[in-house]
Amino acid sequence: MNRCAFFRRKSGAEIVEASIVLPLFILTVFSMILLMSYCFLFLEKQTEMHGKLMEEAIQPASLFHIEEQDETVHKTFQGIFFGEMQKEIRGHVYCFSQADLHRIGRMILS
């Protein structure tokens, strides 16, 4: 009889422990998913900005200039807490007209 009572008390303690730990585990998993989606959005914007800057650097209008671009990434989230994650991205690329540089180099060396 003593063993049955011992096991009953133990299983009740496990249920109470699971009822505390399981919601925290689920909250942690959902928070990780939210963070990964924000990181993916940030990476996507950064890649898009890099592509735009590289397209502008291919055909520069002058011999040398610096092209800059700024974007802001933000994501709002709702649930137990309401908030917004935000980060600014700054990109710049140095644009050289290779044909003009080649001509200037040939003029200097001649």
Side-chain angles (χ1 to χ4, degrees), residues 37-93:
S37 70
Y38 173 71
C39 290
F40 176 73
L41 179 65
F42 178 72
L43 179 66
E44 184 180 28
K45 285 283 189 181
Q46 195 173 17
T47 305
E48 179 184 323
M49 185 173 59
H50 176 74
K52 286 179 186 176
L53 287 173
M54 290 306 294
E55 286 176 6
E56 292 174 8
I58 291 174
Q59 299 284 337
S62 61
L63 180 65
F64 171 77
H65 72 279
I66 300 172
E67 194 69 41
E68 294 184 357
Q69 190 173 7
D70 296 330
E71 287 194 26
T72 303
V73 177
H74 58 86
K75 184 171 180 74
T76 57
F77 55 93
Q78 294 177 338
I80 296 175
F81 301 106
F82 176 77
E84 181 177 61
M85 293 189 285
Q86 182 174 346
K87 185 167 184 173
E88 291 186 18
I89 305 171
R90 301 181 82 200
H92 60 276
V93 65

Side-chain angles (χ1 to χ4, degrees), residues 1-40:
M1 277 272 195
N2 289 339
R3 283 186 165 182
C4 291
F6 176 73
F7 285 123
R8 285 186 193 147
R9 279 186 268 142
K10 186 175 179 184
S11 66
E14 289 173 353
I15 291 174
V16 170
E17 182 181 345
S19 69
I20 294 172
V21 172
L22 190 61
L24 291 175
F25 177 74
I26 292 171
L27 184 64
T28 303
V29 169
F30 285 142
S31 298
M32 296 283 287
I33 291 171
L34 176 68
L35 184 62
M36 287 188 315
S37 70
Y38 173 71
C39 290
F40 176 73

